[in-house]
Amino acid sequence: MAVADDRPLTLVDEHARAWSPHEARTRFRAGLTGPTAGVAQGHTQVNLISVPADWAYDMLLFCQRNPKPCPVLDVTDAGSWTTVLADGADLRTDLPRYRVWRHGELVDEPTDVRAHWRGDLVSFLIGCSFTFEWALSGAGVPIRHIEQGRNVPMYVTSRACRPAGRLHGPLVVSMRPVPPEHLAAAIRESSLLPAVHGSPVHCGDPSGLGIDDLGRPDFGEPVDAEPDDIPVFWACGVTPQAAVMASRPPFAITHAPGQMFLTDARDEQYRVA
């Protein structure tokens, strides 16, 4: 098994923010990998989780009961690798990197999952917080992990999600250090995009979420904060992966943390005001 490290990564390309979603997907299909923060400005990014059809209702119910970490933007038919969110896209090839799970264990981290694909897989496309980073940036909020060319840090919390059928697990959050003078803007702008996780779930002391050390994220990479920065935590679409690890379904495919699917949808489509 060859599993890639969560090694330090810069943004995938210095011109990536100007790419169209189709151009980004084409490059990822050709083998480009890396975090997708800052790619295809103004277009919605999504998390992926594919489960066997006999687990699909449990996953749908899990998402319905936990809308902050799991806002569903599309669900495919069993076996389908297409989505209404991206014309001509192939969910088996168009993400930078995937994770393949068997009985809750990570068994592979390929850039193409056609060899693993099954005719009974139902895919869930879940909104991603990378989407609202454009709104934060437009409001003057610095995005430290992009400034530092790193993947966003993500943490498993002590908060349990509401279980659904055979699925249970903890809430996972992403964290962005925010200067105090920009905190109100960060909360306001993200709250206007509930389909991509919306407002933060916690601001300040990480122990409130059971996080001991911000320098040791469970996924992604640590980021350097300025002295007065406030750690701000948003619900994260890696939460279904934590549920896979905890609940151990026989098989699942997900995106690799931070390496998302680029849709054709514009961010404005999900803005509520």
Side-chain angles (χ1 to χ4, degrees):
M1 179 190 72
V3 174
D5 296 329
D6 281 323
R7 60 195 182 281
L9 293 167
T10 59
L11 292 176
V12 292
D13 187 283
E14 62 179 317
H15 304 297
R17 69 179 54 204
W19 293 348
S20 70
H22 175 76
E23 183 178 5
R25 295 192 299 267
T26 299
R27 289 174 181 264
F28 297 141
R29 186 181 301 179
L32 180 67
T33 66
T36 53
V39 176
Q41 180 175 5
H43 291 88
T44 302
Q45 301 196 25
V46 295
N47 305 267
L48 170 73
I49 181 162
S50 304
V51 295
D54 66 338
W55 282 76
Y57 178 74
D58 287 359
M59 180 57 67
L60 188 63
L61 192 60
F62 184 82
C63 293
Q64 192 277 334
R65 290 179 175 176
N66 299 281
K68 286 289 277 185
C70 306
V72 174
L73 302 190
D74 191 27
V75 182
T76 71
D77 293 323
S80 175
W81 53 80
T82 64
T83 170
V84 295
L85 298 176
D87 186 40
D90 188 330
L91 295 173
R92 305 169 303 171
T93 61
D94 292 359
L95 280 73
R97 191 174 294 280
Y98 300 81
R99 286 185 163 179
V100 180
W101 306 83
R102 294 188 186 280
H103 301 288
E105 301 292 332
L106 179 63
V107 298
D108 198 3
E109 202 171 17
T111 58
D112 180 327
V113 290
R114 283 177 293 183
H116 297 281
W117 197 257
R118 298 171 23 164
D120 65 340
L121 290 179
V122 176
S123 295
F124 295 78
L125 300 177
I126 293 169
C128 171
S129 61
F130 286 170
T131 306
F132 64 58
E133 288 179 340
W134 297 113
L136 300 191
S137 181
V141 180
I143 311 296
R144 302 289 189 214
H145 65 96
I146 292 181
E147 293 175 347
Q148 297 166 25
R150 300 175 185 175
N151 199 353
V152 69
M154 293 159 269
Y155 305 85
V156 177
T157 74
S158 58
R159 291 188 186 178
C161 290
R162 184 181 174 194
R166 293 161 289 180
L167 287 173
H168 60 90
L171 172 69
V172 178
V173 294
S174 61
M175 189 281 293
R176 294 162 182 80
V178 176
E181 65 270 26
H182 294 297
L183 181 60
I187 295 172
R188 181 187 67 246
E189 293 299 323
S190 59
S191 69
L192 295 175
L193 289 159
V196 291
H197 302 305
S199 58
V201 296
H202 183 72
C203 301
D205 185 358
S207 68
L209 292 172
I211 299 169
D212 295 327
D213 186 353
L214 290 179
R216 300 182 62 186
D218 296 288
F219 310 96
E221 300 171 83
V223 295
D224 298 325
E226 296 297 318
D228 293 333
D229 281 354
I230 298 169
V232 181
F233 301 89
W234 281 268
C236 178
V238 173
T239 297
Q241 296 188 38
V244 166
M245 288 186 272
S247 310
R248 305 178 70 82
F251 185 76
I253 293 174
T254 69
H255 69 288
Q259 304 196 41
M260 321 305 294
F261 179 69
L262 267 295
T263 77
D264 294 336
R266 302 288 306 192
D267 299 350
E268 294 82 6
Q269 294 177 230
Y270 297 108
R271 195 174 178 91
V272 296

